[in-house]
Amino acid sequence: MSTILGIESTAHTFGVAVVKDGKVLSNVKHSYTTESGGIIPMEAAKHHELHKNELYFEALDKADLIGKEKEIDAIAFSQGPGLAPCLLEGLKFVKELAKKLGKPVVPVNHCVAHLEIGKITGAKDPVMLYASGANTQIIAYASGKYRVFGETLDIGVGNFIDTFARYAGIGFPGGPVIQSLAEKSRNYIELPYSVKGMDISLSGILTNLKQKLDKINNFDNNKKANTENAGLIVNNHVKLRANVNERGKVNYTLEDLAFSLQETVFAMLVEVSERALAHTGKKELLLGGGVACNKRLQEMCKIMCEERGAKFFVLENQFLVDNGAMIAFLGEIMFKAGIKISGKKIDKIDILPRQRTDDIKVVWK
Ligand code: ATP
Ligand code: FE2
């Protein structure tokens, strides 16, 4: 029996959770968002500092641990990869808690945590399509490590969607807004399709989309940076289409671009996932990471799996986006395998902003 506290702070989200024997007792979080523009790492770190205490007590309360903190066996935290100021804020908090409670610390890799929490779906040995903000990888377990079979050669799919959204004047995170815009269109506008073996590339598609958006907006470069104008694009996109049509130049809207973006890029992700299933001979696909919340991506993966007789698994949204539960969940598995740092050695723990999934020796399997 072990009770693990999990702290997540790699990027936009500060999350705190309690997991006991593989069961999530509490999972609370607060995320940094913007009206327009992307993540500013120092601002996100300030956000974490502001919310950490209230989230900690909320997580304890929901797990019925207020006044019973000594029941906690260890504190797991996201050591990397992520944004350094955000990771540091999490580590500082973990060191304070470890001292206060006199508990050991379990350093967890954020990406492996996204994978391992997949176990609660019932998936046993899946190929995972890990589609999040900074990462887009096709991962499967083979001889002691999670191996990356394919990945993006440039930007992560979430960052790609967020960058396009930002260009259209939509705040952070852009993914959910792009999804709802896409649902309003069935007008496919051709975009470049970029699969290279098991890898994908997104920066060319991003440039192409920006050029198409420029045509809609017909704004000059200076105005593009002006978020007030950019905000108008989203609110007035229908009107803009009418204007554009009057000029007879462009016959598509922001919704059409959002739809075409999803259809193209998700087809690329599904293609490389299918190739990984064929290559590894595995029979399960697990979808994870924040972009996995997207209903159309889920639908396309499901259809592919049905067609090739594989099983499809996807987590609840609360476990797809960054969350403390996945950190506590993997923390517990590692703790039970004897991985923990105690006493004075805790002071020496550092963050690992560039740690890679395939750097981690999976000694707990
Ligand atoms: P990483 O795991 O690479 O560090 P991350 O920490 O940025 O990623 P996650 O919470 O796993 O974050 O994913 C956040 C991303 O998910 C954002 O880019 C956001 O736009 C995207 N996202 C969330 N919901 C949706 C959706 N419905 N459709 C598409 N993208 C979405
Ligand atoms: Fe993440």
Side-chain angles (χ1 to χ4, degrees):
M1 295 273 271
S2 49
T3 303
I4 309 290
L5 184 73
I7 309 285
E8 160 59 31
S9 79
T10 54
H12 40 76
T13 297
F14 198 87
V16 186
V18 177
V19 166
K20 184 176 183 179
D21 298 325
K23 258 188 77 187
V24 180
L25 300 187
S26 64
N27 183 32
V28 297
K29 65 179 173 67
H30 198 279
S31 299
Y32 164 88
T33 57
T34 68
E35 288 290 317
S36 62
I39 275 201
I40 300 163
M42 291 306 288
E43 294 294 319
K46 270 192 218 152
H47 161 274
H48 297 350
E49 153 112 80
L50 193 70
H51 291 279
K52 61 188 183 186
N53 282 316
E54 132 211 348
L55 288 166
Y56 169 64
F57 287 111
E58 196 185 334
L60 287 189
D61 189 24
K62 289 205 164 132
D64 193 24
L65 281 177
I66 298 271
K68 300 185 219 165
E69 290 87 340
K70 52 177 188 318
E71 289 181 20
I72 295 168
D73 293 294
I75 306 165
F77 84 106
S78 267
Q79 188 175 31
L83 304 170
C86 301
L87 286 166
L88 280 171
E89 204 51 57
L91 177 60
K92 201 171 83 188
F93 188 54
V94 166
K95 285 183 176 175
E96 280 164 19
L97 282 180
K99 248 185 210 140
K100 194 173 104 186
L101 305 176
K103 301 292 175 184
V105 173
V106 183
V108 165
N109 174 279
H110 174 93
C111 305
V112 176
H114 269 297
L115 284 162
E116 287 279 348
I117 187 91
K119 279 193 186 142
I120 64 176
T121 62
K124 299 261 172 330
D125 182 24
V127 163
M128 176 167 197
L129 169 55
Y130 169 36
S132 67
N135 291 287
T136 301
Q137 296 177 331
I138 317 292
I139 304 170
Y141 179 76
S143 4
K145 276 187 175 184
Y146 281 111
R147 315 260 167 195
V148 178
F149 286 88
E151 63 186 319
T152 175
L153 297 171
D154 36 47
I155 38 176
V157 65
N159 286 358
F160 158 82
I161 295 174
D162 294 335
T163 308
F164 173 69
R166 182 161 79 234
Y167 200 76
I170 299 162
F172 177 84
V177 184
I178 293 295
Q179 176 180 307
S180 45
L181 290 172
E183 280 161 5
K184 296 190 186 109
S185 166
R186 284 292 172 275
N187 181 22
Y188 183 76
I189 309 298
E190 201 163 328
L191 293 172
Y193 185 92
S194 188
V195 170
K196 296 169 188 177
M198 299 283 263
D199 297 323
I200 65 160
S201 153
L202 295 168
S203 58
I205 306 174
L206 182 60
T207 307
N208 190 287
L209 277 164
K210 283 179 170 178
Q211 284 164 350
K212 289 195 163 71
L213 194 60
D214 282 344
K215 282 192 190 154
I216 297 183
N217 301 332
N218 203 16
F219 282 174
D220 64 40
N221 282 338
N222 293 335
K223 280 187 183 162
K224 248 183 285 161
N226 181 323
T227 48
E228 210 181 299
N229 280 333
L232 283 175
I233 301 167
V234 183
N235 298 331
N236 295 344
H237 50 271
V238 179
K239 210 154 82 196
L240 273 165
R241 178 183 185 160
N243 293 341
V244 164
N245 282 344
E246 275 162 31
R247 289 200 305 277
K249 281 184 193 158
V250 197
N251 193 21
Y252 49 79
T253 62
L254 181 58
E255 284 101 332
D256 298 338
L257 292 184
F259 171 71
S260 310
L261 174 161
Q262 289 197 170
E263 293 303 303
T264 308
V265 171
F266 295 166
M268 287 161 48
L269 294 175
V270 171
E271 183 187 330
V272 288
S273 303
E274 181 167 24
R275 199 163 296 143
L277 283 169
H279 177 76
T280 58
K282 295 192 195 272
K283 297 269 182 287
E284 298 173 335
L285 180 71
L286 171 68
L287 186 55
V291 181
C293 295
N294 190 288
K295 294 285 168 253
R296 180 61 181 143
L297 178 59
Q298 293 183 4
E299 182 184 43
M300 287 167 83
C301 287
K302 194 162 170 259
I303 293 169
M304 181 272 279
C305 285
E306 276 165 11
E307 283 176 357
R308 58 172 299 119
K311 278 191 185 159
F312 174 62
F313 298 90
V314 64
L315 290 152
E316 276 173 52
N317 278 9
Q318 63 161 327
F319 303 128
L320 286 175
V321 293
D322 288 353
N323 64 88
M326 66 182 192
I327 306 304
F329 188 87
L330 175 54
E332 183 178 27
I333 295 172
M334 292 170 70
F335 179 73
K336 284 183 170 164
I339 303 165
K340 61 176 181 197
I341 299 171
S342 316
K344 287 237 171 304
K345 286 189 184 148
I346 292 175
D347 293 335
K348 298 222 166 66
I349 302 176
D350 205 354
I351 56 166
L352 297 170
R354 294 185 179 277
Q355 194 181 37
R356 268 186 65 91
T357 311
D358 42 13
D359 285 343
I360 310 296
K361 273 202 187 126
V362 183
V363 293
W364 55 87
K365 276 223 187 237

